[in-house]
């Protein structure tokens, strides 16, 4: 901020401070006074409405207890219960007629009730969810609900179904009394319930809950069933139980609340009387019949009830007066879209609108207080709240008005003060402009010179005229200019020396790099030469084809050279021109290690195999392995080493037409007629190990067309696939079985492609060798 502006602000503060203090004090006192007045009005209205609501619920309590003790009601309970249980016997329907009635009831539910209900459900209800299968229920539902000529909402106008059952006689006798009582006091519905069976034997308005069982019927989990069960279990004749608003399917999932009490006759509980709460009466009390302005709540004030689930229990003023903005507000605050749709369908916020604010949370904890906080619309309000004292109901009453409306007069005072301040500010700045201009002129010149210096113009002429503070500052800038010039020259000299040293070190590094690359090339060339040596030792395809009818070999080293190997030799014994024996030996083995160390081991292992068969003339595969193990232990285990190999030696005796083998760890398998035959292997290595027993000789029972497979562990242990796991032996065997019908050459291609696809971008972890022979 420039000095001229700072001076103007300083002059302004000196002139303005006293007025600001007086204005702020006046504003705060006015706000506090108006806040207290508003809270007093809200508190008085809260106390008035809480008393009215509590008195009204006590009146409902008195209504239900008094009505339950009325002799006419007791007689009605007995008559309805008896008529309900005997209706099937008295009407005497054939099975065909009953089937038609049941179908008519189900059709009514499907076409009339379920479409209206499902509009208000997230999970759609089905016929099996809502239908009752008790025969008496089906008959009475048909008489008083399905065949009732009055439209939905006016079913209570039917006095009798004009049949000859005792139930209809009772209905004609008592219905007018119950209907008048419900209409006079505004109850949504009245229920008589059999305490033993839970059957709703009578209702005024004949919704789909009529004649159903609250014990095992479709509405056994509703809050009406909760109230019934509580009363049924109580032994107190004056027991009354209320349940809070919850979605109620028979009322098309609209939130409903119930109150219930027992009906006794001569000391025995014979039934339960229940009222469905009058939502309109409660709403009229809380909203003062929607006349908010007439009771001093202005344009934004309202009083409402909230339950323990933080749902409103009466209509929101803003839904009634400005529904368009009300629904927009619900969307803006993130209310569930399905809840908004339900509020639109019912045109009611009762039991649906969430009100979780500071006030509702504190009131539900039992706190009685007044505060300012954002309401359920996100608008700051003055609120007076308290818990309501209603049996079985955890409700709170909120009395609120928008803060903006409550403080309108204070806001006007604040605006007047702000206008005065702005006028004063303008005058002060006009005066201070001319004063500050004379002070800031030399500072502007020095600022220009400093900017030139910052842009690199070290030769700029810094004027040092004057003996005041500004002149002293200019002299300091002049000294700084000289110091910067000297520092830049010194840095240039240092930078030049550093560049020379960097070039020198770079040349040394490049020379060492060339030496390392040359050595690396020599090593790689040596390994490639070792590969050529190893390749010449392994039997060629031409040699194998002369001695095996059909075969493939998949050989894939992990590195340039391999620790896995396959090796073959043929022995013939003659006496003159007569051939005494002819054997072909095949070894498929995995030497310890891979790469160069593994390759050395494979050459050593091949030499010992060659020694055993061709020099020592050992003929049996297990004795060959015993000899090789002995030679490995003798030559490699002096320092405790356990180098050696796993693998199998197979002997094809062409004179005897037999196949024998001995195996260390790697067991061969055979595929015959799309089935896998797994052979055994000795669980010990060809080398130093825990076990030193002789290897086992096995003979393979084969027939023409069988395929033998020998493999090392490299294929099964390869990591890959979508989760980076091992391929595993079980998967490998399944792959071999799946492709066993293919020619062996094609099988080799499938194995190689599957391996590469499985490995993907991962490294190959071991040498791979798979050898197959078709017998």
């Amino acid at each position: 901020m420039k000095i001229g502006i700072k001076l103007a602000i300083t002059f302004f503060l000196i002139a303005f401070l006293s007025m600001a203090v007086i204005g702020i004090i006046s504003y705060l006192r006015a706000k506090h006074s108006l806040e207290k007045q508003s809270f007093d009005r809200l508190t008085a209205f809260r106390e008035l409405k809480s008393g009215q609501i509590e008195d009204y619920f006590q009146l409902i309590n008195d209504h239900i207890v008094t009505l339950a003790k009325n002799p006419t009601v007791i007689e009605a309970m007995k008559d309805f219960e008896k008529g309900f249980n005997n209706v099937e016997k008295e009407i005497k329907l054939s099975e065909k007629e009953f089937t038609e009635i049941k179908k008519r009831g189900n059709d009514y539910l499907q076409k009339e009730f379920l479409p209206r209900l499902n509009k208000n459900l997230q999970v759609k209800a089905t016929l099996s969810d809502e239908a009752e299968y008790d025969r008496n229920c089906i008959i009475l539902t048909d008489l008083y609900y399905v065949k009732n000529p009055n439209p939905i909402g006016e079913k209570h106008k039917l006095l009798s179904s004009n049949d000859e059952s005792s139930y209809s006689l009772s209905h004609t006798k008592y219905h007018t009394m119950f209907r008048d009582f419900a209409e006079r006091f505004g109850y949504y519905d009245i229920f008589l319930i059999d305490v033993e069976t839970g059957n709703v034997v009578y209702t005024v308005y004949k919704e789909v809950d009529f004649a159903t069982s609250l014990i095992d019927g479709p509405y056994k989990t509703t809050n009406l069933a909760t109230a019934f069960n509580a009363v049924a279990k109580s032994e107190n004749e004056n027991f009354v139980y209320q349940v809070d608003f919850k979605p109620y399917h028979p009322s098309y999932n609209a939130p409903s609340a119930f109150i219930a009490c027992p009906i006794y006759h001569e000391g025995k509980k014979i039934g339960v009387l229940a009222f469905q709460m009058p939502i309109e009466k409660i709403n009229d009390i809380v909203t003062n019949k929607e006349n908010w302005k007439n009771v001093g709540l202005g344009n934004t004030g309202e009083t409402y009830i909230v339950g323990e689930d933080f749902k409103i229990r009466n209509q929101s003023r803003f839904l009634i007066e400005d529904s368009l903005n009300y629904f927009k507000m619900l969307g803006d605050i993130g209310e569930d879209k399905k809840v908004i749709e339900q509020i639109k369908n019912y045109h009611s916020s009762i039991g649906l609108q969430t009100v979780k604010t500071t006030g509702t949370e504190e009131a539900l904890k039992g706190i009685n207080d007044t505060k300012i906080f954002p309401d359920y619309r996100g608008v700051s309000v003055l609120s007076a709240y308290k818990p309501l004292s209603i049996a079985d109901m955890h409700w709170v009453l909120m009395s609120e008005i928008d803060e903006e409306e409550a403080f309108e007069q204070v806001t006007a005072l604040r605006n007047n003060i702000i206008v005065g301040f702005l006028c004063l500010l303008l005058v002060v700045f006009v005066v201070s402009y001319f004063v500050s201009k004379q002070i800031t002129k030399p500072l502007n010149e020095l600022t220009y010179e400093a900017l030139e210096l910052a842009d690199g113009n070290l030769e700029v002429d810094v004027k040092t005229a004057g003996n005041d503070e500004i002149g002293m500052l200019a002299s300091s800038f002049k000294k700084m200019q000289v110091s910067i010039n000297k520092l830049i020259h010194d840095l240039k000299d240092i930078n030049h020396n550093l560049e020379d040293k960097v070039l020198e070190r770079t040349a040394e590094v490049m020379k060492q790099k060339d030496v390392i690359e040359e050595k690396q090339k020599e090593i790689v060339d040596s390994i490639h030469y070792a590969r050529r040596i190893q390749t010449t030792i392994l039997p060629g395809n031409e040699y194998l084809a002369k001695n095996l009818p059909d075969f493939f070999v998949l050989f894939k080293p992990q590195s340039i050279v391999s620790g896995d190997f396959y090796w073959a030799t043929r022995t013939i014994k003659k006496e003159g021109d007569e051939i005494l024996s002819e054997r072909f030996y095949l070894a498929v083995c995995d030497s310890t290690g891979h790469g160069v160390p593994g390759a050395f081991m494979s050459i050593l292992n091949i030499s010992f195999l060659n020694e055993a068969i061709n020099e020592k003339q050992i003929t049996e595969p297990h004795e060959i392995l015993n000899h090789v193990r002995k030679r490995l232990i003798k030559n490699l285990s002096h320092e405790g080493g356990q180098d050696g190999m796993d693998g199998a030696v197979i002997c094809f005796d062409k004179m005897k037409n037999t196949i024998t083998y001995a195996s260390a760890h790697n067991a061969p398998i055979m595929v015959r007629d799309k089935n896998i035959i797994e052979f055994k292997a000795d669980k010990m290595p060809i080398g130093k190990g825990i076990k030193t027993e002789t290897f086992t000789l096995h003979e393979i029972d084969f027939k023409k067309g069988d395929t033998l497979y020998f493999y090392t562990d490299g294929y099964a242990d390869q990591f890959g696939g979508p989760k980076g796991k091992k391929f595993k032996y079980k998967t490998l065997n399944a792959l071999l079985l799946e492709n066993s019908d293919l020619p062996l050459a094609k099988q080799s291609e499938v194995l190689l492609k599957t391996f590469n696809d499985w490995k993907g971008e991962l490294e190959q972890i071991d040498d791979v060798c798979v050898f197959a022979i078709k017998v």
Side-chain angles (χ1 to χ4, degrees):
M1 186 182 293
K2 294 184 177 180
I3 289 178
I5 297 176
K6 289 182 178 179
L7 289 172
I9 292 175
T10 301
F11 295 149
F12 167 76
L13 289 175
I14 293 171
F16 157 80
L17 186 60
S18 58
M19 183 179 177
V21 171
I22 294 171
I24 290 171
I25 292 174
S26 299
Y27 170 74
L28 292 176
R29 284 186 175 178
K31 182 178 181 181
H32 176 74
S33 176
L34 197 57
E35 179 179 320
K36 184 178 184 301
Q37 181 183 350
S38 298
F39 274 133
D40 288 345
R41 184 168 64 251
L42 289 173
T43 301
F45 200 73
R46 177 196 69 190
E47 295 302 318
L48 173 65
K49 291 302 172 184
S50 65
Q52 290 176 346
I53 286 292
E54 290 166 358
D55 290 345
Y56 181 65
F57 271 87
Q58 184 58 50
L59 177 64
I60 294 174
N61 189 297
D62 294 342
H63 276 175
I64 197 167
V65 171
T66 302
L67 193 63
K69 295 180 183 296
N70 187 302
T72 304
V73 173
I74 295 171
E75 289 301 316
M77 182 69 237
K78 293 192 295 182
D79 291 346
F80 278 124
E81 179 183 342
K82 182 179 178 181
F84 184 99
N85 293 328
N86 293 327
V87 68
E88 181 183 13
K89 298 177 184 177
E90 294 173 353
I91 292 183
K92 298 178 181 179
L93 296 172
S94 68
E95 196 60 34
K96 180 179 178 182
E97 290 172 326
F98 178 80
T99 302
E100 290 176 356
I101 288 175
K102 183 177 179 180
K103 181 180 183 302
R104 187 161 58 233
N106 289 342
D107 289 345
Y108 189 90
L109 289 175
Q110 287 276 30
K111 295 176 182 178
E112 298 292 334
F113 176 71
L114 285 174
R116 296 188 183 193
L117 172 63
N118 285 331
K119 284 174 59 179
N120 304 314
L121 293 179
Q122 296 183 18
V123 178
K124 304 304 181 186
T126 63
L127 179 63
S128 61
D129 297 327
E130 308 297 326
E132 173 66 83
Y133 297 102
D134 179 79
R135 295 176 72 88
N136 290 327
C137 166
I138 292 170
I139 294 170
L140 286 172
T141 300
D142 184 68
L143 293 174
Y144 284 91
Y145 185 67
V146 177
K147 292 170 62 177
N148 190 323
N150 298 298
I152 292 175
E154 298 181 13
K155 301 289 186 182
H156 63 292
K157 293 181 179 180
L158 179 65
L159 184 62
S160 174
S161 65
N162 297 321
D163 61 274
E164 297 179 356
S165 67
S166 58
Y167 184 90
S168 291
L169 293 176
S170 299
H171 197 275
T172 303
K173 181 178 180 181
Y174 300 113
H175 180 64
T176 302
M177 178 194 71
F178 285 113
R179 182 179 62 192
D180 291 347
F181 187 91
E183 290 177 343
R184 180 178 181 82
F185 294 106
Y187 292 112
Y188 188 88
D189 208 347
I190 297 175
F191 305 82
L192 293 179
I193 307 165
D194 186 341
V195 74
E196 296 295 333
T197 63
N199 291 327
V200 180
V201 298
Y202 171 80
T203 71
V204 171
Y205 284 90
K206 301 300 184 298
E207 292 187 332
V208 294
D209 48 11
F210 168 61
T212 62
S213 172
L214 298 180
I215 294 177
D216 54 15
Y219 307 117
K220 62 184 178 182
T221 60
T222 62
N223 53 346
L224 174 59
T226 301
F228 163 75
N229 288 323
V231 173
K233 292 175 183 178
S234 173
E235 299 299 327
N236 182 357
E237 288 191 24
N238 295 313
F239 181 77
V240 177
Y241 191 77
Q242 301 179 74
V243 287
D244 202 351
F245 286 94
K246 284 186 180 179
Y248 188 59
H249 278 206
S251 297
Y252 305 105
N253 211 42
S256 302
F258 298 89
I259 184 170
C261 75
I263 300 174
Y264 276 81
H265 177 62
E266 295 179 354
K268 180 183 177 182
K269 189 190 304 179
I270 62 170
V272 174
L273 174 66
F275 293 167
Q276 190 165 349
M277 292 292 194
I279 295 175
E280 290 79 7
K281 296 286 288 186
I282 298 171
N283 197 61
D284 286 346
I285 293 173
V286 177
T287 65
N288 202 52
K289 295 185 177 180
E290 301 179 6
N291 291 318
W292 293 277
K293 288 185 180 180
N294 294 344
V295 294
L297 289 177
N299 295 318
T300 61
E302 66 172 334
T303 301
Y304 57 89
I305 298 171
V306 177
E308 61 183 346
D309 57 355
F310 293 100
K311 301 291 186 182
I312 197 168
R313 293 298 190 264
N314 58 275
Q315 289 284 48
S316 167
R317 174 179 185 175
F318 304 100
L319 170 62
I320 295 170
E321 293 187 339
D322 188 5
S323 61
L324 185 64
N325 284 322
Y326 171 80
F327 288 119
K328 183 178 181 301
M329 172 274 298
L330 290 181
D332 292 342
I333 64 175
E335 183 64 82
D336 191 318
K337 291 182 179 179
K338 294 179 179 177
V339 172
I340 297 175
E341 192 62 31
Q342 285 182 300
I343 294 174
K344 288 181 179 179
N345 290 340
Y346 297 130
H347 197 67
S348 171
S349 58
I350 299 171
L352 299 170
Q353 167 69 53
T354 301
V355 185
K356 193 169 186 179
T357 63
T358 300
T360 56
E361 288 178 343
E362 290 190 0
L364 285 169
K365 293 176 183 177
I367 299 173
N368 184 334
D369 203 356
T370 57
K371 277 187 180 179
I372 299 176
F373 51 79
D375 70 352
Y376 59 88
R377 301 166 295 149
V379 177
S380 182
V381 296
L382 279 68
S383 178
Y385 50 85
K386 67 175 292 187
L388 291 171
S389 179
I390 301 174
D392 304 318
M393 297 289 197
H394 192 192
W395 286 1
V396 298
L397 184 69
M398 313 293 293
S399 183
E400 297 174 346
I401 190 170
D402 286 7
E403 183 180 15
E404 182 179 356
E405 181 179 5
F407 293 150
E408 279 180 344
Q409 296 178 10
V410 176
T411 302
L413 175 62
R414 180 198 63 195
N415 293 339
N416 291 333
I417 293 173
I418 291 173
V419 171
F421 285 174
L422 292 175
C423 293
L424 179 61
L425 179 65
L426 179 62
V427 172
V428 170
F429 268 104
V430 170
V431 174
S432 64
Y433 171 75
F434 296 100
V435 177
S436 62
K437 189 173 181 181
Q438 298 300 318
I439 298 172
T440 57
K441 182 179 179 181
L443 286 174
N444 290 334
E445 292 177 353
L446 184 57
T447 299
Y448 169 76
E449 293 159 357
L451 290 172
E452 286 291 310
L453 186 63
D455 289 339
N457 183 8
L458 301 178
E459 304 303 326
V460 65
D461 183 21
V462 179
K463 300 179 180 63
T464 58
N467 296 321
D468 56 9
E469 288 81 357
I470 297 175
M472 295 173 63
L473 179 62
S475 297
S476 298
F477 262 95
K478 186 72 174 179
K479 292 178 182 178
M480 182 179 70
Q481 180 186 26
V482 174
S483 298
I484 291 172
N485 267 318
K486 183 177 181 301
L487 178 60
I488 289 174
H489 284 99
D490 292 343
L491 287 174
K492 286 181 178 179
D493 292 338
I494 294 171
N495 186 54
H496 182 72
N497 292 334
L498 285 174
E499 288 177 353
D500 292 342
K501 289 182 179 180
V502 168
L503 290 173
E504 181 182 343
R505 294 293 184 268
T506 302
E508 291 178 4
V509 170
M510 293 302 294
K511 183 178 180 181
Q512 291 175 358
K513 174 176 173 291
D514 293 339
V515 172
I516 292 170
E517 288 178 347
E518 181 63 28
K519 295 296 183 184
Q520 183 182 17
K521 184 176 182 301
E522 291 175 3
I523 293 169
V524 173
D525 289 344
S526 298
I527 294 173
H528 279 288
Y529 186 70
R531 179 181 182 181
R532 289 197 294 273
I533 294 172
Q534 187 181 44
T535 302
T536 60
I537 295 173
L538 300 178
N541 286 342
E542 185 177 347
Y543 178 75
L544 293 171
K546 289 180 179 179
N547 292 281
L548 294 173
D550 191 10
F551 73 94
F552 80 74
V553 58
L554 174 62
F555 184 63
K556 187 175 176 61
Q558 184 266 348
S559 186
I560 298 172
V561 290
S562 171
D564 285 12
F565 68 89
Y566 59 96
W567 176 79
T569 186
R570 185 178 67 166
T571 64
I572 299 176
K573 283 187 179 181
K574 292 183 177 181
E575 190 175 297
D577 292 333
E578 183 182 359
I579 299 175
L580 299 178
S581 66
E582 181 180 358
R583 296 183 178 90
F584 180 73
Y585 294 91
L586 175 67
V588 179
C589 300
D590 180 3
S591 301
T592 304
H594 47 72
V596 174
F600 278 121
M601 281 300 302
S602 69
I603 293 171
L604 185 61
N605 290 329
I606 289 171
S607 69
F608 288 154
L609 286 167
N610 185 61
E611 177 186 85
I613 298 171
N614 293 317
E615 294 181 19
K616 301 294 184 181
Q617 296 185 356
I618 301 172
T619 60
E620 299 298 341
H622 66 300
E623 293 296 343
I624 295 170
L625 294 186
N626 288 336
H627 175 81
V628 175
R629 178 175 63 185
K630 181 178 178 182
R631 294 285 283 137
L632 286 169
I633 293 172
K634 180 179 179 181
N635 288 276
L636 298 178
S637 301
H638 300 298
E639 302 298 330
Q642 296 185 351
D643 295 316
M645 63 178 176
D646 296 335
V649 173
I650 309 96
C651 174
F652 297 86
D653 192 324
K654 297 193 176 182
M655 301 296 292
K656 297 179 180 179
N657 195 28
T658 60
I659 301 175
T660 57
Y661 77 93
S663 178
H665 287 302
N666 295 342
I669 67 168
M670 183 169 69
V671 174
R672 174 185 292 168
D673 299 329
K674 296 300 285 185
N675 291 303
I676 284 183
I677 301 172
E678 296 184 7
F679 297 108
K680 295 182 179 179
D682 292 311
K683 301 300 181 182
M684 54 185 176
I686 308 169
K688 188 174 181 180
I690 298 174
K691 295 182 179 181
T692 57
E693 293 90 345
T694 182
F695 286 95
T696 307
L697 178 67
H698 302 275
E699 183 173 346
I700 296 176
D701 181 16
F702 67 93
K703 65 180 183 180
K704 187 176 181 180
D706 291 345
T707 305
L708 290 169
Y709 296 94
F710 303 86
Y711 44 69
T712 61
D713 59 1
Y715 200 112
D717 287 348
Q718 177 61 45
F719 289 100
K723 297 183 179 179
K725 294 185 176 182
K726 286 186 177 183
F727 194 82
K728 296 185 178 180
Y729 288 102
K730 183 178 180 181
T731 311
L732 175 57
N733 289 346
L735 180 63
L736 293 172
L737 179 63
E738 180 183 352
N739 295 281
S740 60
D741 289 339
L742 298 175
L744 291 186
K746 185 64 176 177
Q747 290 186 39
S748 177
E749 294 175 8
V750 172
L751 279 177
L752 180 59
K753 184 179 185 305
T754 303
F755 181 84
N756 289 331
D757 291 345
W758 177 262
K759 178 173 72 68
E761 298 298 325
L762 299 179
E763 292 184 1
Q764 183 175 335
I765 66 168
D766 200 358
D767 303 318
V768 172
C769 183
V770 180
F771 205 110
I773 305 162
K774 186 174 285 290
V775 180

